[in-house]
Amino acid sequence: KIKIMLIINNKTFLIYGFGLSGKSSFDFLIKNNKIKIFDDSKKNISKKFKKYSISKSILNNIIFDYIIISPGIDINNCSIKNFLNQNKNKIITELDIFYVAYANNKKIAVTGTNGKSTTCKLIYEILKKSKKDVRLVGNIGFPALSEKKISNKTIFVIEISSYQIEYSNYFKADISILLNLSPDHLERHRNFKSYTSVKLKLFQNQTSKGISIIKKNDNYIGTKLKKLKVNSKILKLSKNEIKYLIGKINNKTFKDEDNLDNLLFAHRVVKIFKVKTKTIVDVINYFKPLPYRRQIILNNEKLTIINDSKSTSFSSTINLLKTYKNIYWIMGGLKKKGDIFNLHKKYYKNINVYIYGSDRKIFYNLLRNKIKTKTSVTLEQSLKNVQLDLKKNNQKKANIIFSPAAASFDQFKNFQNRGEKFNFLINKINFDL
């Protein structure tokens, strides 16, 4: 149950995890509070902040009012788990501080398994085009507390992950969106039921003035929502709402079903703010996807190449495989716990799959009886296999889709690093057909 009061002045805070959100919390709170910092890696705390750093051995010697925890930390699997479990009622997040600091500002929170960043960017671009003072913050990479020059009219569009929701005890949004749900982050949340409960917490925390938005035909979310006591107004969206836009869209980004879903949610939100249709259409047609999210990096008569490095699960890849034909699908990495390949067999004949990475044998065994399959150790080797097969089968337009459907950490720092490597290799390897 959400707590009512959080006081953020004249308190003693422990910041655990000194990444982007930890630093923004420190900068925001240091003027009026006592701050201590703890990070599992001392390298993350620069000389400038060393005087605020404390060791694990003296944590219990200080009485903290609140513990601000970075979203990526699992309190049940970290170096100070005993201390955190003894002080669970003090754990909060940067978003809790943000909510209290800007309680009167409109907040649009977007969560879901797939499509969060794109939906947030769409909402942000449309509201910005309509001359609103709008900020894009949260899991998309911009800490909410780092924003400056905030007025009462400032609107926040917040990408919020399950990790952020899980530890937030005060945060509420005026408009909350749950795009979709499929198994993800089960290493942290243990099972799909637990993961679902965390996501739905965003709706449970709203007041009666809040708005909750889901898809009309999403029976799983709809059924779960019925069992909860939700005070907010629930809106259920149908694709019919954006039918009138389809003929006006000439942006290939919105060719696939997932991006049309993202547009459906963004459209409903901006209509709440009474944005004109012309503004919406203008933004859609000039909209550029965020890097490595279904990003078309080459498109000519013979070949389309899509960099979808952000894909870390089958659910984020499936609709791409439904949208295109003559597909050379490059995938692989670390398989997500509980992830299921749920593609109708009628699409199998359109796909050749090239699997790389540490879990390539697992993926091979999963896909080999469905799709033509080749494996290799590295991404570069997979691309070279694609190159050879393209030369053999050069009879119709081909679509190279890099959509790993797996975590990147076996060979790359993150999905961005993986996406950069793919682009580098595309420039290195000659795909001149």
Side-chain angles (χ1 to χ4, degrees):
K1 191 175 181 181
I2 197 160
K3 297 173 184 177
I4 298 168
M5 183 67 73
L6 171 64
I7 298 169
I8 57 173
N9 289 320
N10 301 313
K11 298 293 179 180
T12 301
F13 289 88
L14 172 66
I15 296 176
Y16 178 25
F18 209 55
L20 285 176
S21 72
K23 286 172 185 169
S24 67
S25 297
F26 178 92
D27 291 339
F28 191 85
L29 293 168
I30 188 60
K31 186 178 179 181
N32 299 311
N33 300 280
K34 292 179 181 177
I35 310 286
K36 296 295 179 183
I37 302 166
F38 178 79
D39 196 291
D40 293 319
S41 174
K42 291 181 179 179
K43 292 178 182 177
N44 292 336
I45 304 174
S46 65
K47 287 182 181 179
K48 177 183 175 183
F49 300 100
K50 286 292 182 187
K51 65 180 179 181
Y52 301 100
S53 176
I54 59 170
S55 64
K56 179 180 175 180
S57 61
I58 65 166
L59 282 173
N60 285 306
N61 297 343
I62 304 170
I63 298 172
F64 295 105
D65 295 297
Y66 299 107
I67 302 166
I68 302 173
I69 189 167
S70 291
I73 294 167
D74 183 351
I75 66 169
N76 296 308
N77 186 25
C78 64
S79 65
I80 57 169
K81 66 178 182 180
N82 292 334
F83 171 78
L84 293 176
N85 279 299
Q86 288 165 12
N87 293 276
K88 264 189 177 179
N89 62 327
K90 296 179 180 180
I91 293 175
I92 60 172
T93 66
E94 179 210 8
L95 284 179
D96 289 325
I97 304 290
F98 162 74
Y99 169 73
V100 173
Y102 302 113
N104 296 321
N105 289 85
K106 291 290 182 186
K107 300 171 193 69
I108 304 160
V110 180
T111 197
T113 305
N114 303 308
K116 297 184 290 294
S117 297
T118 299
T119 304
C120 284
K121 187 81 165 19
L122 267 171
I123 295 168
Y124 169 76
E125 295 288 356
I126 295 169
L127 291 178
K128 186 179 177 185
K129 179 79 173 177
S130 62
K131 310 295 185 191
K132 308 287 187 188
D133 175 15
V134 59
R135 312 297 174 89
L136 182 60
V137 298
N139 197 52
I140 201 165
F142 310 116
L145 292 177
S146 64
E147 291 295 315
K148 308 296 181 188
K149 297 181 180 178
I150 307 302
S151 75
N152 289 334
K153 292 183 178 179
T154 303
I155 302 166
F156 291 96
V157 180
I158 310 153
E159 180 184 330
I160 184 167
S161 70
S162 59
Y163 294 174
Q164 289 168 305
I165 299 170
E166 185 177 21
Y167 297 142
S168 294
N169 284 310
Y170 298 87
F171 177 79
K172 304 176 194 176
D174 300 280
I175 301 171
S176 291
I177 294 170
L178 181 50
L179 299 169
N180 46 57
L181 279 178
S182 56
D184 202 7
H185 303 304
L186 301 192
E187 296 82 2
R188 164 92 166 249
H189 297 297
R190 301 181 306 283
N191 54 58
F192 189 42
K193 183 180 178 181
S194 177
Y195 173 65
T196 299
S197 296
V198 169
K199 290 287 194 182
L200 289 172
K201 183 180 168 185
L202 195 62
F203 290 163
Q204 289 176 287
N205 289 355
Q206 286 181 291
T207 69
S208 58
K209 293 180 181 178
I211 297 172
S212 300
I213 308 179
I214 64 171
K215 273 181 73 177
K216 189 175 183 179
N217 63 354
D218 196 321
N219 295 326
Y220 178 75
I221 294 176
T223 301
K224 291 291 181 184
L225 205 52
K226 274 183 182 177
K227 296 177 181 178
L228 298 177
K229 290 182 179 179
V230 176
N231 294 318
S232 58
K233 180 182 179 182
I234 299 171
L235 302 181
K236 297 182 179 182
L237 309 189
S238 161
K239 280 271 178 67
N240 290 331
E241 295 183 32
I242 57 170
K243 261 189 176 179
Y244 79 101
L245 288 174
I246 301 302
K248 300 173 183 179
I249 299 173
N250 53 37
N251 187 338
K252 289 183 179 178
T253 297
F254 298 96
K255 183 178 177 181
D256 70 76
E257 287 298 311
D258 289 336
N259 275 333
L260 280 177
D261 279 347
N262 298 335
L263 174 58
L264 173 64
F265 282 94
H267 172 266
R268 173 55 76 96
V269 169
V270 299
K271 281 296 182 183
I272 292 170
F273 290 90
K274 299 180 179 178
V275 175
K276 294 177 181 177
T277 298
K278 184 182 182 305
T279 303
I280 298 171
V281 173
D282 286 347
V283 171
I284 292 169
N285 284 329
Y286 287 97
F287 183 79
K288 291 183 179 179
L290 289 155
Y292 319 129
R293 294 164 173 88
R294 306 198 174 185
Q295 186 178 16
I296 298 172
I297 60 173
L298 177 71
N299 186 36
N300 58 37
E301 290 180 1
K302 291 186 177 181
L303 185 65
T304 296
I305 302 177
I306 296 173
N307 187 338
D308 188 37
S309 178
K310 181 64 171 71
S311 164
T312 58
S313 64
F314 285 128
S315 64
S316 56
T317 294
I318 291 298
N319 274 337
L320 264 181
L321 302 180
K322 291 179 180 178
T323 300
Y324 291 86
K325 293 182 179 178
N326 196 24
I327 294 170
Y328 294 76
W329 174 29
I330 303 166
M331 64 86 63
L334 292 169
K335 187 180 181 299
K336 289 281 190 80
K337 180 182 175 183
D339 198 18
I340 299 168
F341 183 68
N342 189 20
L343 180 69
H344 194 280
K345 63 182 180 180
K346 71 179 181 180
Y347 296 102
Y348 294 171
K349 65 181 183 295
N350 292 326
I351 305 167
N352 296 279
V353 63
Y354 303 81
I355 306 167
Y356 73 93
S358 64
D359 283 350
R360 60 190 178 278
K361 288 182 180 178
I362 296 171
F363 287 118
Y364 174 76
N365 290 330
L366 187 65
L367 299 173
R368 63 178 176 166
N369 294 324
K370 301 178 175 70
I371 301 169
K372 293 176 187 175
T373 306
K374 287 186 179 179
T375 63
S376 57
V377 176
T378 66
L379 174 57
E380 183 168 10
Q381 287 173 317
S382 283
L383 269 170
K384 286 179 178 177
N385 286 337
V386 171
Q387 182 188 36
L388 290 171
D389 287 349
L390 279 172
K391 286 178 178 177
K392 292 178 192 172
N393 308 323
N394 188 15
Q395 73 276 10
K396 56 184 177 180
K397 180 166 181 174
N399 298 286
I400 298 175
I401 296 178
F402 178 50
S403 190
S408 59
F409 308 121
D410 59 330
Q411 296 183 2
F412 302 98
K413 183 180 177 182
N414 49 40
F415 81 86
Q416 293 97 331
N417 176 234
R418 180 168 65 181
E420 287 168 7
K421 181 69 172 180
F422 179 78
N423 285 352
F424 170 79
L425 292 171
I426 288 295
N427 289 325
K428 178 182 174 182
I429 299 170
N430 182 18
F431 282 95
D432 183 13
L433 302 179

